[in-house]
Amino acid sequence: MLSQPPLSLSRRTFLAASAAAGAVTGLSAGPARAAGTRPRPFGRYGSPAARLTPRTLYVHPGGAGDFTSVRDAVAAANGPGHTLVIAPGVYRQTVAVDPGRTEMTWIGASENPRDVVIVYDNAAGTPKPGGGTYGTTGSATTTVRADGFTAHRITFANDFLRADHPDITGTQAVAIKVQGDRSAFHHCRFLGHQDTLYADSNSASLFARQFFSHCYVEGDVDFVFGRATAVFEHCHFRTLNRTDASGAPYGFVFAPSTERANPHGYLVTRGHVSSEAPDGYYKLARPWVPTSSTTVRPMLTVRNTRLGPGIDTLAPYATMRDAHPWQDQRFAEYRNTGPGAVVTVPENRPQLTDEQAESATRAAWLGDWRPREAC
């Protein structure tokens, strides 16, 4: 039903020691092969000698592909319609897909998204070589601005740790910022702490549609945030424990920033919210209304989803700024289950009616776009 459970693996142990990177991320040399057989680092997706299509490029950290880095492969993929097949490995780099590289597909060559990892450790407050700091957007390990982007079985991570950088106060550290319309992620993992997954758009006037299927996301503060029209279907959200926080709340799962003119914000359906923190130490959401904006009215619908005990049932929503209380936003739930879904204070848990729920669907959110199935 859901993406693979995290077991004991978390962002806190992810790449804890570079020498142990393979073990931490589940990387290995692969299953034993019979003598005389040749390795197939790209699995069933061809090779540089047998390309799936002329626009297929192969990435391998050891040199068995066209490129050893994802960044270089993206730079070489001029124009629309390229496919990157990425072999197992930890790719420590930042990557950006600009608006001209439309209809691009990234495929993790392994059947396990833990095996293909794109990771870096910039935070908003990290000093830039030329002066200043990166800011939230600049902290992203991966940035996707092109329309029609699709990813399969890849881990996108930001392994910045607050404890390692006590001098940095801007601790937002984005694993991926997605801005393009028709962006789809299948069986992917998104690892970070604060601001892990930035589901956004290229401008306030553009309503970018995004689809996340059978994905896993973990973090602590506002770790799914932005103004996209995004559907999260069969996704697992995991709230992390914190040793640097003195008490509840430790953080917030969602922080949508939907434009008032956009009828569709975040839709979470048939998912799961779990926690490694104490019971009740997390809020389900809070609205993000940027100080510079007068046109934002955040929207979040969570339906048919299991909410674990980490969610505060007395007050599952919080206000980020007093001028924009959560009660004035578009927050709603429908037929959620689990200990975190218990309605103890009805006015704190707005519910959809059956009639309203009929229009809170993937089809309504995505319109005429039908995402391709996972490959």
Side-chain angles (χ1 to χ4, degrees):
M1 173 181 168
L2 298 173
S3 58
Q4 293 183 354
L7 302 177
S8 60
L9 181 71
S10 78
R11 244 293 275 109
R12 293 183 179 278
T13 57
F14 182 78
L15 294 180
S18 58
V24 172
T25 58
L27 293 171
S28 67
R33 301 189 305 272
T37 62
R38 300 178 63 186
R40 298 180 60 195
F42 303 105
R44 54 193 171 94
Y45 300 105
S47 69
R51 296 184 192 278
L52 293 182
T53 71
R55 287 181 172 264
T56 300
L57 301 175
Y58 294 87
V59 185
H60 186 280
D66 301 305
F67 302 93
T68 57
S69 80
V70 179
R71 179 194 291 164
D72 289 347
V74 170
N78 293 317
H82 281 84
T83 296
L84 270 56
V85 178
I86 307 172
V90 176
Y91 299 86
R92 177 163 285 277
Q93 57 197 237
T94 59
V95 186
V97 182
D98 65 44
R101 290 173 166 82
T102 59
E103 314 304 326
M104 178 176 278
T105 298
W106 294 4
I107 299 173
S110 170
E111 297 301 313
N112 190 337
R114 298 177 189 272
D115 291 348
V116 179
V117 181
I118 303 171
V119 60
Y120 210 70
D121 63 349
N122 283 332
T126 300
K128 295 171 66 174
T133 58
Y134 283 99
T136 299
T137 291
S139 75
T141 298
T142 302
T143 303
V144 178
R145 297 189 61 208
D147 293 342
F149 180 86
T150 302
H152 304 269
R153 299 184 305 277
I154 295 172
T155 292
F156 299 90
N158 189 315
D159 62 352
F160 172 86
L161 292 173
R162 300 181 185 100
D164 292 345
H165 303 277
D167 55 316
I168 293 178
T169 56
T171 58
Q172 300 90 340
V174 178
I176 187 170
K177 182 172 185 177
V178 188
Q179 297 172 265
D181 186 34
R182 295 179 291 103
S183 300
F185 296 81
H186 302 278
H187 298 276
C188 289
R189 301 168 72 238
F190 306 93
L191 311 182
H193 280 271
Q194 183 173 354
D195 292 3
T196 303
L197 171 55
Y198 198 168
D200 204 50
S201 69
N202 278 306
S203 75
S205 62
L206 296 176
F207 303 156
R209 296 164 295 176
Q210 300 171 10
F211 180 59
F212 300 82
S213 171
H214 298 86
C215 291
Y216 171 79
V217 194
E218 70 179 24
D220 48 39
V221 178
D222 304 332
F223 63 93
V224 181
F225 74 113
R227 65 183 170 219
T229 292
V231 176
F232 301 89
E233 189 170 275
H234 295 299
C235 291
H236 183 175
F237 306 89
R238 177 87 168 161
T239 62
L240 300 176
N241 203 0
R242 295 184 63 180
T243 58
D244 61 316
S246 58
Y250 276 179
F252 316 86
V253 182
F254 302 100
S257 189
T258 323
E259 285 292 316
R260 185 181 300 272
N262 189 352
H264 302 118
Y266 287 178
L267 172 65
V268 179
T269 176
R270 291 181 286 176
H272 180 201
V273 178
S274 68
S275 182
E276 65 178 43
D279 292 357
Y281 267 51
Y282 272 87
K283 306 290 187 181
L284 188 59
R286 64 177 179 174
W288 175 34
V289 180
T291 55
S292 59
S293 176
T294 60
T295 60
V296 168
R297 188 170 177 236
M299 182 181 190
L300 168 70
T301 300
V302 181
R303 61 170 301 169
N304 304 101
T305 289
R306 176 174 175 78
L307 305 180
I311 298 301
D312 178 2
T313 58
L314 290 174
Y317 303 102
T319 294
M320 187 180 295
R321 295 173 57 208
D322 290 342
H324 303 281
W326 75 261
Q327 293 89 343
D328 290 349
Q329 315 311 320
R330 294 174 286 175
F331 287 180
E333 301 179 49
Y334 182 72
R335 294 192 178 182
N336 294 322
T337 60
V342 174
V343 178
T344 55
V345 183
E347 58 267 32
N348 286 347
R349 304 212 76 148
Q351 303 288 317
L352 297 180
T353 65
D354 291 343
E355 182 179 4
Q356 290 170 329
E358 290 179 2
S359 60
T361 64
R362 182 215 298 188
W365 254 242
L366 302 184
D368 60 359
W369 175 45
R370 300 291 183 270
R372 290 172 294 177
E373 296 299 319
C375 65

